[in-house]
Amino acid sequence: MLPKAGANLATLGGGTAASVVIPDSGFIAQQLNDVQILPFQPFGHTLDTDIVIGQASDDRYRAGMGWISKNDHNHVKLSLFRQQRVADGLDGLWLASIQGEFTPLALAKDFDFTGELALAGQSGASQQTSGGSGIRLHLNRKPANGFSYGLALSQFSAGFHPYGSVVAAGERRAVAKLGYRPWSDAKMTANADYILRGWDGDIPCDEYRTGLSFSSTVFTYLSAKLETSAQRTLDCAAASDAGNIDSWALTLSEDSWTGWDINLFAKVSEKSLPFTQEPQTWSHYRVSGDHDLRLGSHWASFGPEVSLRTNTVGEVERRLQTGFVMGIETRTQNFSLHLGYEALTGYGGALDANAGKIKLNYRLDFDA
């Protein structure tokens, strides 16, 4: 089946095909516009090797190789990449990463232990890119009697920030997560997150996050998920880091009964800044549908989407997006066509209120 195309209109096309596994560092986002992968096995089945070339929308390129070794239930992956922007000339960033699963055999039945160590080094004399190191460890307890839990620890130096990185430089983090299944089609999750920013700098900043979610099947073909979260910051000098944020989100999903996959999503967040009376509020409401269609030996999908975002800071800004997505997937190719319309009101019409969008995406994948 086709991967679901009902993504947000603003980010549609940023993902990768479901059959593609990018052997990159876990510290680097995998959302590249175009990724070409050529797998081969010069050492037989004992060591898989991939050549990867990727391009992002901001003139950022990535090229490198990955080597994956598997032994029983464990695996180790070594990656070496060169990251480059066209405008930077010869300046760029080298990134080496080793990651994998390292669970002792005696504990493999009940636990998963994964880790990663990465080193980044700059090249060139302009100092436009920085180097550093990062490490992360993750212990996960497999479900037993309905309960599961996990603990993750990470630390990144102040200079560690590769292009497209999904982490923040100069950050220490500890995350604890607890899951429970009261019955077969229901799940409750609670998590706590502690972040210390600028731990190796002059002004560190503490942040605490908590979250609670519950998901369950309401009727035979209808499922619901409710999520709440709270964020608190202490001693943060930067205005962008300070403030308290409370959020809730509700997702309703229906499939099979009508022949369509229908999703309704609502999320509201409120941020209050120190020494201010008026909070800032964001809201997002989205309705999307997706239907699969057989075209000969290939699968196609099509569906509409309507999205409304509001941002209130004294004045209300509203952004309405509507769109239609159609995709066709073959064994090695993926085509998708997106037609959209966007309207913006508020803030004095800062953007064009009649912005039509047409996007054509194409992928060619090399499958082993």
Side-chain angles (χ1 to χ4, degrees):
M1 305 294 282
L2 278 176
K4 301 306 178 187
N8 185 289
L9 300 181
T11 59
L12 182 68
T16 61
S19 61
V20 173
V21 177
I22 304 176
D24 67 358
S25 163
F27 295 130
I28 301 179
Q30 299 182 8
Q31 305 301 314
L32 294 180
N33 296 28
D34 297 290
V35 177
Q36 301 294 336
I37 297 181
L38 179 62
F40 63 102
Q41 293 178 321
F43 304 101
H45 294 282
T46 60
L47 188 66
D48 295 336
T49 305
D50 286 338
I51 298 177
V52 179
I53 300 175
Q55 176 189 0
S57 58
D58 58 351
D59 264 350
R60 186 176 70 243
Y61 293 83
R62 186 174 75 214
M65 299 187 69
W67 297 268
I68 305 98
S69 176
K70 297 181 179 180
N71 181 19
D72 295 328
H73 62 283
N74 288 332
H75 69 275
V76 178
K77 180 178 359 182
L78 175 65
S79 303
L80 178 62
F81 285 94
R82 168 73 175 182
Q83 302 184 59
Q84 185 77 46
R85 285 188 179 93
V86 175
D88 291 344
L90 298 178
D91 293 332
L93 192 72
W94 288 100
L95 180 71
S97 167
I98 182 170
Q99 63 173 317
E101 182 176 351
F102 310 98
T103 311
L105 184 60
L107 303 176
K109 181 179 178 181
D110 300 318
F111 295 92
D112 288 322
F113 180 75
T114 59
E116 179 174 12
L117 172 65
L119 300 174
Q122 63 180 357
S123 61
S126 68
Q127 306 296 317
Q128 293 183 14
T129 58
S130 59
S133 62
I135 185 172
R136 63 184 177 96
L137 303 172
H138 185 201
L139 174 66
N140 182 54
R141 175 63 163 88
K142 297 177 181 179
N145 300 321
F147 286 94
S148 63
Y149 58 85
L151 176 65
L153 304 173
S154 60
Q155 175 177 295
F156 312 103
S157 64
F160 185 82
H161 193 75
Y163 305 156
S165 176
V166 295
V167 301
E171 178 183 276
R172 284 177 175 170
R173 192 167 195 165
V175 182
K177 185 176 182 180
L178 174 65
Y180 175 62
R181 288 188 175 274
W183 55 87
S184 60
D185 56 356
K187 183 178 181 180
M188 298 179 63
T189 303
N191 60 76
D193 194 348
Y194 169 70
I195 304 171
L196 177 62
R197 294 197 181 99
W199 62 272
D200 52 355
D202 297 331
I203 308 178
C205 171
D206 296 277
E207 180 178 306
Y208 303 87
R209 301 178 184 176
T210 58
L212 181 66
S213 70
F214 176 76
S215 60
S216 178
T217 300
V218 181
F219 300 108
T220 305
Y221 301 110
L222 179 65
S223 59
K225 184 176 183 179
L226 178 63
E227 302 169 279
T228 63
S229 64
Q231 174 181 315
R232 299 293 182 265
T233 55
L234 299 175
D235 303 323
C236 292
S240 59
D241 295 332
N244 301 325
I245 301 177
D246 297 293
S247 302
W248 66 266
L250 175 64
T251 303
L252 297 176
S253 302
E254 181 276 332
D255 57 57
S256 301
W257 181 53
T258 61
W260 287 74
D261 292 338
I262 301 176
N263 294 280
L264 292 87
F265 174 80
K267 181 177 181 179
V268 177
S269 300
E270 184 177 275
K271 180 176 183 178
S272 56
L273 296 172
F275 313 111
T276 59
Q277 298 282 335
E278 188 173 7
Q280 183 176 3
T281 303
W282 300 272
S283 63
H284 182 200
Y285 306 95
R286 184 180 70 240
V287 180
S288 62
D290 185 71
H291 186 72
D292 293 325
L293 179 66
R294 188 79 175 184
L295 296 178
S297 60
H298 308 305
W299 279 103
S301 69
F302 64 93
E305 178 181 271
V306 179
S307 174
L308 175 64
R309 295 176 181 267
T310 64
N311 184 3
T312 304
V313 188
E315 187 177 355
V316 180
E317 179 194 56
R318 294 183 179 88
R319 184 185 300 271
L320 176 65
Q321 295 175 316
T322 61
F324 184 86
V325 181
M326 182 175 181
I328 300 176
E329 184 180 81
T330 68
R331 186 180 65 86
T332 60
Q333 301 177 79
N334 190 323
F335 302 86
S336 65
L337 177 64
H338 168 225
L339 297 92
Y341 172 82
E342 180 177 298
L344 177 69
T345 59
Y347 289 173
L351 298 178
D352 186 3
N354 297 290
K357 294 182 178 180
I358 298 178
K359 180 184 292 185
L360 176 63
N361 295 322
Y362 170 77
R363 289 189 55 82
L364 176 62
D365 301 323
F366 298 93
D367 294 332

